[in-house]
Amino acid sequence: MATAVALILMPQAAYSADILGKAIETVQPCKSLHVKQFGASVGIDRFKEAHIETLELSIAKDTANLSTTASLACQTSDNALLKGDVSATVHLDATLDLRGCEILSLDAKIIETGGTFKDLLDPFKEGIVTALKAAISKEIRKLCE
C-alpha cells in the first residue's frame, strides 16, 4: 500500500499541485465573504484565482512530507456597487503515513493578506483555514481509495 501511494505522490510536483488546486476550488473560500462597508453589504464572494507558489514533497520509507505555499484571491462581482478584492497567502505542512494511508499532521496558516478589502478578511481567516484543511484531507484520502 505504501509503495502504491508513494508512486501516486512522487511522479511530479505538478500532480501534487493539482491536488492542492482542486482542494482550494472545493473549499470555495470566497463563498462566505460578505462584509459591511459604508453601511452597505459587500460580497467579495467570487473566486478569482489560486497559485501554488512553492511545493516541496519528500518521501522517506513510509512517510511523506509536504510543504507548500499557495495564494488565492477573491473579488466582488462585476456589477457590485463597491468593487474590490482580497487575497491570502497560505502555508501548509502535512505529514502522511503511506503504509496506513493516514494523515499524521496537517497544519495551515494564513501568512499574508492583501487587496482592497484586506482589513476586512481578518474575521474569516480561521474559517478559511479550517475549510482548506478539510478539503485537503479529503483530496489526500481519495488517493488511498
Side-chain angles (χ1 to χ4, degrees), residues 30-143:
C30 309
K31 188 167 64 174
S32 63
L33 295 179
H34 291 273
V35 294
K36 288 270 188 188
Q37 186 74 7
F38 308 114
S41 179
V42 177
I44 317 162
D45 52 3
R46 192 167 138 207
F47 182 73
K48 185 176 178 182
E49 61 187 350
H51 297 286
I52 305 302
E53 295 176 11
T54 63
L55 177 71
E56 294 177 25
L57 177 64
S58 64
I59 298 175
K61 295 189 181 184
D62 295 333
T63 304
N65 292 296
L66 173 73
S67 180
T68 188
T69 302
S71 61
L72 56 104
C74 305
Q75 64 187 14
T76 55
S77 67
D78 292 337
N79 51 355
L81 184 57
L82 296 172
K83 294 188 184 337
D85 61 0
V86 293
S87 63
T89 302
V90 180
H91 183 77
L92 172 86
D93 288 305
T95 302
L96 311 169
D97 173 0
L98 300 175
R99 185 164 302 282
C101 208
E102 179 183 349
I103 299 169
L104 300 175
S105 68
L106 180 59
D107 182 50
K109 60 185 166 195
I110 294 178
I111 56 175
E112 185 179 5
T113 57
T116 311
F117 297 116
K118 169 187 171 178
D119 295 334
L120 304 175
L121 187 61
D122 285 339
F124 298 99
K125 283 182 179 180
E126 188 176 317
I128 291 169
V129 167
T130 299
L132 187 57
K133 286 170 64 173
I136 289 169
S137 294
K138 182 179 176 181
E139 289 297 319
I140 290 171
R141 277 193 219 87
K142 283 181 183 179
L143 293 174

